[in-house]
């Protein structure tokens, strides 16, 4: 029997998937109606977290942040069964993940952070990715349990907090990607480009295939054989901003990128590949 704390869109979908696979699930949520709604699918809802976790071998969490995880686990602690394992799918700080791993071990319990790249539909269908790191013996034990609820369990090694860090990196990419798409749509609006024309382009041209090659170019440390000079990419960036301004549309992300380009041009890198702007940011 398992307990699940946090019945947002993701948690609710996880619970339904668990019930579909034959698990008995006890649930709790701060807004009680979200937990009781899962009783229609076979879950058992509780008014407080301590009661929800009683008798559970596994306690799953999908909450908001570090503070909410700490608060809910503190509230649930009185009901924890000896030997229970806490599996936290919440996106949190790496520092918080490390601290909780250590603190719960000192209290005689196991805490495993397992953030996810999964939306509600993925959780319900068992697709997407679960990220783990830390105690490799524990992960070997848990992986067969986690695998049915995801497309893949990605193990980033023995360092606690590494999975949390990787999750933050991935989310930064998603935020940047989405904000860039928003700016692109602003330019489409300014230039009277219709959505069917946008889809026509991206159905034929897949820039996503360039992510790994672009990362390799960014981190190569060699920028003297440009495929797109920084001066030229900056020129195009100005064209974006001019078109938007002339048509009363605001760009959110591109002006900051233009400032960074100008900084590197001022340092004498204008004739190099524009990926030189990442030169100072490459991890060791």
């Amino acid at each position: 029997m398992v307990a699940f704390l946090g019945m947002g869109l993701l948690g609710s979908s996880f619970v339904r998937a668990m019930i579909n696979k034959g698990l008995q699930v006890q649930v709790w949520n701060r807004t009680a109606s979200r937990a009781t709604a899962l009783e229609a699918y076979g879950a058992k809802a509780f008014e407080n977290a301590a009661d929800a976790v009683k008798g559970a071998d596994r306690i799953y969490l999908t909450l908001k942040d570090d503070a909410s995880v700490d608060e809910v686990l503190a509230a649930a602690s009185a009901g924890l069964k000896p030997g229970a394992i806490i599996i936290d799918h919440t996106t949190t700080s790496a520092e918080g993940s490390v601290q909780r791993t250590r603190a719960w071990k000192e209290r005689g319990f196991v805490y495993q952070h397992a953030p996810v790249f999964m939306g509600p539909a993925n959780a319900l269908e068992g697709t997407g990715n679960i990220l783990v790191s830390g105690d490799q013996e524990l992960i070997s034990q848990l992986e067969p349990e986690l695998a049915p609820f995801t497309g893949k369990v990605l193990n980033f090694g023995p360092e606690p907090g590494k999975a949390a860090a990787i999750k933050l990196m991935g989310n930064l990419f998603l935020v940047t990607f989405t904000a860039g798409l928003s700016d692109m749509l602003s330019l489409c609006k300014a230039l009277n480009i219709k959505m069917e024309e946008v889809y026509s382009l991206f159905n034929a041209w897949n820039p996503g295939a360039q992510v790994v090659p672009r990362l390799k170019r960014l981190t190569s440390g060699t920028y003297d054989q440009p495929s797109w000079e920084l001066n030229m990419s900056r020129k195009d960036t100005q064209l974006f901003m001019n078109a938007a301004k002339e048509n009363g549309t605001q760009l959110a992300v591109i002006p900051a990128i233009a400032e960074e380009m100008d900084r590197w041009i001022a340092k004498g890198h204008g004739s190099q590949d524009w990926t030189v702007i990442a030169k100072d940011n490459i991890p060791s």
Side-chain angles (χ1 to χ4, degrees):
M1 189 265 290
V2 304
F4 213 114
L5 310 179
M7 293 296 98
L9 294 175
L10 187 62
S12 296
S13 294
F14 266 126
V15 168
R16 289 174 58 190
M18 289 176 171
I19 293 169
N20 288 342
K21 288 179 170 57
L23 289 176
Q24 182 183 357
V25 188
Q26 298 182 169
V27 298
W28 171 89
N29 193 71
R30 194 185 310 273
T31 303
S33 59
R34 292 187 176 181
T36 55
L38 273 298
E39 291 188 326
Y41 297 96
K44 185 175 181 180
F46 289 82
E47 292 185 2
N48 64 74
D51 286 339
V53 302
K54 284 181 179 177
D57 298 305
R58 303 286 183 267
I59 293 87
Y60 292 87
L61 310 173
T62 54
L63 300 167
K64 180 183 179 182
D65 52 20
D66 287 289
S68 62
V69 172
D70 290 337
E71 179 184 347
V72 169
L73 284 178
S77 61
L80 289 174
K81 172 183 176 179
I85 296 176
I86 301 163
I87 301 172
D88 183 9
H89 294 310
T90 308
T91 299
T92 69
S93 68
E95 180 184 359
S97 174
V98 172
Q99 181 180 356
R100 277 184 292 278
T101 301
R102 180 175 58 250
W104 283 98
K105 183 177 182 180
E106 291 172 354
R107 296 179 64 172
F109 294 96
V110 173
Y111 170 91
Q112 176 63 54
H113 193 212
V116 300
F117 285 119
M118 300 170 73
N122 299 116
L124 188 59
E125 297 166 0
T127 58
N129 296 284
I130 291 178
L131 284 56
V132 292
S133 68
D135 184 331
Q136 294 296 288
E137 185 176 344
L138 172 64
I139 289 170
S140 294
Q141 174 188 344
L142 293 179
E143 188 167 358
E145 300 177 29
L146 295 174
F149 300 102
T150 183
K152 184 177 290 187
V153 178
L154 302 177
N155 185 350
F156 288 96
E159 183 182 338
K162 179 63 71 173
I166 297 290
K167 169 63 173 173
L168 292 180
M169 176 200 71
N171 274 13
L172 185 148
F173 176 85
L174 293 176
V175 168
T176 306
F177 176 68
T178 302
L181 287 177
S182 179
D183 265 12
M184 184 198 74
L185 293 174
S186 293
L187 185 63
C188 290
K189 184 177 180 180
L191 297 176
N192 196 31
I193 298 171
K194 296 177 174 59
M195 281 309 304
E196 56 263 32
E197 295 168 325
V198 175
Y199 287 122
S200 178
L201 171 64
F202 287 108
N203 282 331
W205 172 55
N206 177 20
Q210 299 181 26
V211 171
V212 172
R214 185 58 53 89
L215 272 173
K216 290 180 179 179
R217 184 65 185 262
L218 281 166
T219 59
S220 68
T222 304
Y223 310 100
D224 291 330
Q225 297 181 342
S227 60
W228 194 11
E229 287 187 0
L230 178 56
N231 283 328
M232 295 302 290
S233 62
R234 177 63 179 89
K235 178 267 297 182
D236 286 0
T237 301
Q238 193 62 46
L239 289 174
F240 311 154
M241 294 190 293
N242 290 347
K245 183 177 180 180
E246 290 166 5
N247 291 276
T249 302
Q250 183 70 37
L251 299 182
V253 177
I254 290 298
I257 295 173
E259 289 184 11
E260 183 67 3
M261 289 176 166
D262 288 340
R263 188 170 73 87
W264 281 89
I265 290 170
K267 293 196 296 184
H269 298 277
S271 62
Q272 293 185 312
D273 193 86
W274 85 285
T275 55
V276 72
I277 66 173
K279 184 178 180 180
D280 292 343
N281 302 325
I282 301 170
S284 58

